[in-house]
Amino acid sequence: MSRTLITVAPTGAEIDKAGCPQLPTTLDELVAEARACEAAGAAMIHVHIRDAEHRPTLDLGRLRETVVALRENTALIVQLSTGGSVHDPLDARLAVLEAEPDSCSLTCGTVNFGDDVFSNPWPFMAELYRRTQFTGVVPEFELFDLGQVTSMARLLEEFGPPAGGRVHADFVLGVPGGLPATVPALVAGVQALPAGVTSWSATGIGRGHLPVLAASLAMGGHLRVGMEDNTFYAPRRPVTGNAELVARAAALASTLQRPAMSAVEARELIGLPALL
C-alpha cells in the first residue's frame, strides 16, 4: 500500500507569538509539539527557531541545540529551514548546514513575499546545493512558482543528484507573489516537474490548506501541514496546536488508503541512511 509522508512545519518566521500564543517558539514548546505531532502521524519536522523574545533567528548555537533536542526526544527527520526570515542575510542562511540537520529546505528562486522579497539568487542556490552535497544533508527543493521548477532542474543538471540520490520537492502554494493555493496550480506544478524527481509534497497557505492537501493526496503526493502555513482549523476556529493539523492530515490519508508513513519509511523515501 502506498503511504504518505507528513511533514509538520510548526512555527515559521512570519507569525507573531503575541497574536498566536499557541505557536511553539521556545525549545521546550517545540520539543513538546514535535512529540505530539510524531504521535499524530508526522515523520519529518520543518524547523524555524525563535530567540528569547520570540523573534525569528538563525543563531547557530540555538540551531544546534534544537537539532540535538529533537533527535533526543523524537525519531522525526529534522529539516532546518535555510530560508529563515525574509530579512536574514545569505551567509547566515548558508551557515544553517553547520547545525548538521538531516535535511534542509532549498528554495529555488526569488519570489515576492507579500510586501517583502524572499531573495534566492542563482549563485546562492548553487552554493547551498553544493554544500548539501558535500555535507550529506538531504535538500528539499522548495517551490513557490513554476519558474522555480525550472531552476531546480538546472541545479540537478549542472551539479548532479543530491546527497542520498533521491529528489524530493515541496510546493508551497498561496504566498502572495507565488502560485495560488488552488488545485489547477498544483496540477501545473506537478506536470512541470523534471523526470528526476522521485517524490513531492505540497502545502496550501491559509484557506488553501485543505484543497491543496486533498489534491496532493489524490495525485500521489505527500503533505506538509502546520502553523507556519495555517493557524486555523476551520473558519473562525484557530488551531489548538500543530498536532491536530497532523492528525487530520493522517486521517484523510488513511481514508484515501495512503496512511501516514513512519520516520523509518520517510528516511528511505528521501534518501537518508537508516538509523543504527
Side-chain angles (χ1 to χ4, degrees):
M1 179 183 294
S2 175
R3 291 187 174 269
T4 303
L5 165 62
I6 300 178
T7 299
V8 61
T11 308
E14 306 299 322
I15 300 170
D16 185 6
K17 174 78 165 180
C20 188
Q22 66 271 43
L23 191 76
T25 54
T26 69
L27 182 56
D28 286 345
E29 289 172 341
L30 183 62
V31 169
E33 201 84 339
R35 289 170 62 92
C37 290
E38 182 179 28
M44 180 155 66
I45 184 166
H46 173 79
V47 180
H48 291 253
I49 63 169
R50 304 290 180 100
D51 64 16
E53 284 73 45
H54 310 289
R55 298 171 303 195
T57 181
L58 289 179
D59 178 80
L60 193 53
R62 285 180 178 268
L63 286 170
R64 288 187 175 122
E65 184 182 15
T66 299
V67 171
V68 169
L70 289 170
R71 285 191 177 138
E72 288 179 346
N73 288 278
T74 77
L76 294 170
I77 297 169
V78 180
Q79 181 188 93
L80 293 182
S81 169
T82 63
S85 81
V86 295
H87 308 293
D88 285 317
L90 299 182
D91 58 348
R93 292 167 57 191
L94 288 171
V96 165
L97 297 186
E98 296 176 30
E100 300 181 350
D102 301 304
S103 175
C104 73
S105 60
L106 195 163
T107 305
C108 292
T110 296
V111 63
N112 287 329
F113 207 91
D115 294 336
D116 298 304
V117 176
F118 182 24
S119 180
N120 294 280
W122 173 257
F124 167 75
M125 292 164 49
E127 176 62 21
L128 177 57
Y129 187 47
R130 287 194 295 261
R131 290 192 187 194
T132 66
Q133 291 173 311
F134 178 76
T135 60
V137 174
V138 172
E140 177 181 87
F141 298 94
E142 197 170 49
L143 307 171
F144 290 83
D145 215 340
L146 287 181
Q148 295 185 12
V149 179
T150 302
S151 295
M152 176 187 66
R154 180 183 173 191
L155 283 172
L156 296 171
E157 181 178 351
E158 292 196 14
F159 303 111
R166 304 291 180 89
V167 180
H168 181 70
D170 179 57
F171 290 97
V172 181
L173 306 180
V175 170
L179 281 168
T182 64
V183 174
L186 179 60
V187 170
V190 172
Q191 289 177 335
L193 289 172
V197 172
T198 53
S199 60
W200 59 269
S201 61
T203 188
I205 304 297
R207 293 179 181 178
H209 175 79
L210 282 175
V212 170
L213 185 154
S216 184
L217 283 172
M219 295 168 64
H222 302 275
L223 307 176
R224 182 176 113 176
V225 300
M227 293 176 67
E228 174 175 352
D229 305 314
N230 175 39
T231 58
F232 280 82
Y233 191 83
R236 297 178 295 280
R237 208 284 252 170
V239 299
T240 59
N242 286 278
E244 71 172 348
L245 294 174
V246 174
R248 178 169 63 181
L252 288 170
S254 292
T255 297
L256 292 179
Q257 300 182 29
R258 293 192 53 214
M261 64 174 56
S262 68
V264 171
E265 293 168 317
R267 294 182 73 90
E268 181 178 0
L269 177 79
I270 69 170
L272 282 168
L275 294 174
L276 299 177

